[in-house]
Amino acid sequence: MSTNKSTAVKFTKTAGKPLKQRIMDNWQLYLMLLVPVVLTIIYKYIPMYGIQIAFRDYKASRGMWGSEWVGLEWFQRFFSAPTCARMIKNTILLSFYSLLWSFPIPIILALMINQLRLLRFKRVAQTILYAPHFISTMVICGMIRIFLSPSGGLINLIAGTSVDFLTESAAFRTIYIASGIWQDAGWGIIVYMATLANVDTSLYEAARVDGASMFQRIIHIDIPELTSIMVLNLIMSAGGLMNVGFEKVWLLQTDLNKATSDVIAVYVYQQGIERAKYSYSTAVGLFNTAVNIILLIVVNKLASKISEDTSFVWEGCDMKENTKSGKLSGFSERTSDIILAAICAVIVFIVAYPLYYVLIASFSDPYDVYAGKTFLLPSGFTFDGYKSVFADPNIITGFLNSIQYTIVGTVFSVVMLYLTAYPLSVKDLPGRKFFSIFFIITMYFGGGMVPTYLIVKDTGLINNMWALFLPGGVAVGNMIIVRNFFENSIPKEMIEAAGIDGASQWTTFLKIVVPLSRSIMAVMVVFSMVAYWNDWFTSMIYLPGTEKAPLPLVLRNILIKSSASASQASMVSGGFAELNKMTEMIKFSSIIVAALPMLIIYPFVQKYFEKGFMAGAVKG
């Protein structure tokens, strides 16, 4: 008893102790932070320091300091390049149009789904809208190429045309933005739905009693609740405004659409990684980052002003004076519900049908597919596509590699998140603010592709599986969600009681914090699994050769280059026509094989998103 009493005194008086003693008392928390901090320094901050090669004529044999200082030469060369103006213009326009469309659509979807009163349909709609996010960019681009094919692509079949859209420069931005909305708009509603879930339901009941229509409830209750998170999302989106989705642009780019698809990110990869022009590509990347930082500061100022003005407007609204006996544009409450459900059903169909079409096409004769005979059901039913996929040793190897990378990477990522988030959730930890800023900086500023590649190379990780995990270190955005969960959902009384009983910080972490945070852990597991399962670009850079390639990278030859492997070609005995037929069957089948694992897993953990992600993302 005396031991517990003395421990209690020690625990409760920690905050009043000298700084040195408080640091010593929390040594276990600093130990948790050690590995994440070291990895962040090596793979985030040292590449930032390596940015100086943008001002040097970097030679690997001479090293960074031994390379000649050339000042702004590389910047001048970039600005004088014939394609410079076009790349800057394309990057800005593609980013701006993407933000213009992709920012409001998730908000509108969230507002609509939140008003649905058919709970079963509401849950099904959310599940379907989330689904495309779990599909890799590689697979999405493969689907785009199939749907836009001039010879029997779904879009051309519906329109009755034979246009090769991917060779049309004027169509590229529309393709890029529309596919991005299809893939991520549903996922983007999660944080807004989480915010709306915390709205006091009595407000809605009072509004109905006062005669407020559905539209008025949205205007006077929902939107004011979303204002702060909308502003935050706008600021975060602006921070990456110049970071056009490199992978999708690169996978969809052709020589004929470069007038609108030639962007800075692709140019940096081509110059730095493919042609080893390290200094030049770093200079181009640094320019891109500098513009991003300027935009982030400007948008932050503007968004703060908008947030203040918007708050003032909503505070001045009087619900009763603006209602019209429960009607929206002349519609009754029941009619409004039916119209809303119908609109949501159409949206759900638009999201679900492409996936359904690929599924039935994977069991159909490709000639029937391109003849327009498989809009609703398979035609010429066959398993030949799947037989060819699973008979290819490269696909099997890639599948096994992806499983390995996903398991190892997920465990590593979740451990790093927890070891970082828990210490930073302890509000009286000396240096907490410093460490938080230390990690958050890396969200908005980095060394760029080439300096990071050079560090990975210098640390001996080329052709090593750990090159996929260590450079990522801590996913800061996810860490913030986990930290907020710890701060708001772990009872402080339990942690204090553990300290009073003499439990160490490690014991508290392992026996209280970890078991009580299974919901947010499930969320982070899914996040990490999706990221590693779908990743192909990191492997392409750091794991040369085919024996270590993950499944998405193996599928690149099939989906993007439209070529069958040697083992697949050897299975065909009917000449070029049969080889082409088999290649088309494999395209559809490989899309299902690549996407299905994540699509199967998600519905089983969806309930944890409601408990975990919402608590971590909204509060705090």
Side-chain angles (χ1 to χ4, degrees):
M1 180 67 69
S2 59
T3 303
N4 289 341
K5 184 176 181 180
S6 62
T7 305
V9 173
K10 179 180 178 181
F11 183 83
T12 56
K13 291 188 177 181
T14 297
K17 289 183 177 181
L19 177 62
K20 182 178 180 180
Q21 186 60 48
R22 290 168 58 204
I23 292 175
M24 295 300 296
D25 288 344
N26 289 289
W27 68 269
Q28 294 181 53
L29 296 181
Y30 295 117
L31 183 61
M32 293 181 195
L33 285 170
L34 179 61
V35 174
V37 167
V38 170
L39 289 177
T40 301
I41 291 173
I42 294 174
Y43 295 107
K44 299 296 183 181
Y45 280 93
I46 291 181
M48 293 183 198
Y49 177 73
I51 285 176
Q52 64 174 289
I53 68 175
F55 304 95
R56 296 178 180 274
D57 184 11
Y58 177 76
K59 304 293 184 184
S61 58
R62 299 178 184 176
M64 187 181 300
W65 288 102
S67 299
E68 180 185 359
W69 183 271
V70 295
L72 300 177
E73 178 182 335
W74 303 118
F75 294 91
Q76 293 170 350
R77 182 174 298 186
F78 172 62
F79 291 128
S80 61
T83 58
C84 175
R86 184 178 75 180
M87 286 188 291
I88 295 175
K89 174 186 174 183
N90 289 340
T91 301
I92 293 175
L93 288 179
L94 203 55
S95 300
F96 175 75
Y97 290 146
S98 295
L99 180 62
L100 184 66
W101 286 98
S102 63
F103 177 72
I105 288 179
I107 300 172
I108 296 170
L109 283 175
L111 293 171
M112 293 170 61
I113 292 176
N114 186 60
Q115 292 295 329
L116 285 174
R117 290 194 282 183
L118 301 172
L119 297 183
R120 184 173 296 179
F121 173 67
K122 180 178 181 178
R123 187 172 183 83
V124 171
Q126 287 179 264
T127 301
I128 292 175
L129 291 175
Y130 297 160
H133 176 79
F134 292 88
I135 303 174
S136 74
T137 301
M138 177 69 72
V139 172
I140 293 291
C141 291
M143 292 172 63
I144 292 171
R145 287 179 174 272
I146 289 173
F147 293 155
L148 299 182
S149 172
S151 55
L154 179 61
I155 302 301
N156 279 305
L157 285 175
I158 295 173
T161 59
S162 58
V163 179
D164 190 352
F165 291 99
L166 286 176
T167 63
E168 300 285 340
S169 295
F172 181 82
R173 290 181 188 134
T174 301
I175 295 169
Y176 179 89
I177 295 168
S179 61
I181 292 172
W182 181 83
Q183 183 179 13
D184 294 321
W187 185 254
I189 73 173
I190 290 181
V191 68
Y192 299 115
M193 293 298 295
T195 305
L196 294 172
N198 290 322
V199 176
D200 188 350
T201 55
S202 64
L203 291 176
Y204 294 116
E205 295 303 324
R208 288 191 180 96
V209 170
D210 288 341
S213 67
M214 179 189 299
F215 181 72
Q216 289 164 333
R217 293 195 298 271
I218 291 174
I219 292 295
H220 296 291
I221 298 176
D222 292 347
I223 292 181
E225 289 289 338
L226 293 180
T227 300
S228 60
I229 196 68
M230 286 162 56
V231 171
L232 177 61
N233 277 350
L234 179 61
I235 293 172
M236 294 181 69
S237 298
L241 193 61
M242 294 288 286
N243 295 333
V244 176
F246 160 79
E247 295 182 14
K248 189 192 293 185
V249 173
W250 190 58
L251 291 172
L252 296 179
Q253 189 177 76
T254 67
D255 290 336
L256 297 177
N257 66 24
K258 280 192 174 182
T260 53
S261 68
D262 203 8
V263 297
I264 293 175
V266 174
Y267 188 69
V268 169
Y269 168 76
Q270 291 171 339
Q271 297 296 318
I273 305 301
E274 291 186 344
R275 302 177 186 176
K277 296 181 179 180
Y278 298 135
S279 294
Y280 179 60
S281 60
T282 302
V284 178
L286 181 58
F287 162 75
N288 198 57
T289 301
V291 175
N292 258 338
I293 293 174
I294 294 171
L295 289 173
L296 176 63
I297 295 172
V298 172
V299 172
N300 189 19
K301 294 284 186 182
L302 293 175
S304 299
K305 178 63 176 175
I306 293 172
S307 180
E308 293 173 4
D309 293 344
T310 304
S311 297
F312 174 79
V313 171
W314 297 126
E315 288 170 5
C317 290
D318 187 336
M319 181 80 70
K320 287 187 177 181
E321 293 180 2
N322 292 285
T323 56
K324 292 183 179 180
S325 66
K327 293 187 178 182
L328 167 60
S329 302
F331 295 117
S332 68
E333 189 78 9
R334 180 177 176 80
T335 303
S336 297
D337 286 341
I338 294 173
I339 293 174
L340 179 63
I343 294 173
C344 289
V346 171
I347 294 172
V348 168
F349 175 79
I350 292 172
V351 172
Y353 183 72
L355 297 176
Y356 174 74
Y357 181 80
V358 171
L359 177 63
I360 60 175
S362 69
F363 293 104
S364 302
D365 186 309
Y367 292 151
D368 289 348
V369 173
Y370 291 129
K373 298 179 180 179
T374 56
F375 286 118
L376 296 177
L377 296 172
S379 177
F381 194 89
T382 177
F383 287 103
D384 289 348
Y386 291 97
K387 291 177 182 177
S388 297
V389 166
F390 291 109
D392 186 349
N394 290 331
I395 291 180
I396 298 301
T397 300
F399 195 89
L400 295 176
N401 286 340
S402 286
I403 292 175
Q404 180 185 15
Y405 301 155
T406 299
I407 293 174
V408 176
T410 298
V411 172
F412 174 79
S413 295
V414 173
V415 169
M416 288 298 102
L417 286 173
Y418 267 58
L419 291 179
T420 309
Y422 177 61
L424 296 185
S425 70
V426 180
K427 294 187 177 181
D428 61 351
L429 177 71
R432 175 178 181 261
K433 184 175 182 180
F434 166 79
F435 285 113
S436 296
I437 295 173
F438 170 84
F439 287 110
I440 289 174
I441 286 175
T442 63
M443 288 182 66
Y444 299 104
F445 187 75
M449 185 185 301
V450 173
T452 302
Y453 172 81
L454 293 175
I455 292 298
V456 171
K457 183 179 179 181
D458 290 343
T459 52
L461 293 182
I462 298 297
N463 209 28
N464 188 311
M465 176 182 70
W466 287 96
L468 306 179
F469 318 131
L470 297 183
V474 178
V476 180
N478 291 345
M479 182 273 291
I480 292 173
I481 294 174
V482 178
R483 184 200 64 188
N484 289 349
F485 181 92
F486 289 158
E487 290 178 352
N488 297 287
S489 300
I490 304 295
K492 299 296 184 294
E493 297 79 6
M494 295 187 66
I495 295 178
E496 291 174 0
I500 292 173
D501 289 340
S504 67
Q505 290 165 327
W506 269 105
T507 301
T508 301
F509 173 66
L510 294 174
K511 293 189 176 182
I512 296 178
V513 175
V514 172
L516 290 178
S517 61
R518 289 175 182 171
S519 59
I520 196 66
M521 183 183 292
V523 174
M524 294 303 118
V525 165
V526 173
F527 277 10
S528 298
M529 287 179 65
V530 172
Y532 286 114
W533 180 264
N534 291 335
D535 181 48
W536 61 274
F537 181 68
T538 309
S539 301
M540 187 177 72
I541 295 178
Y542 299 134
L543 302 179
T546 59
E547 69 280 357
K548 294 185 178 181
L551 181 61
L553 190 55
V554 174
L555 296 181
R556 175 170 170 256
N557 288 332
I558 300 171
L559 297 177
I560 308 302
K561 295 185 176 181
S562 298
S563 61
S565 68
S567 61
Q568 292 167 342
S570 65
M571 298 171 61
V572 180
S573 58
F576 177 78
E578 287 300 313
L579 177 60
N580 183 64
K581 177 180 177 180
M582 186 196 69
T583 302
E584 296 304 313
M585 285 192 295
I586 292 174
K587 283 183 181 181
F588 291 109
S589 302
S590 60
I591 287 175
I592 299 301
V593 169
L596 197 59
M598 293 301 106
L599 293 178
I600 290 176
I601 289 173
Y602 173 69
F604 293 100
V605 298
Q606 183 177 357
K607 63 180 180 179
Y608 291 110
F609 278 78
E610 298 170 2
K611 297 178 182 178
F613 181 86
M614 293 181 180
V618 178
K619 299 178 183 179

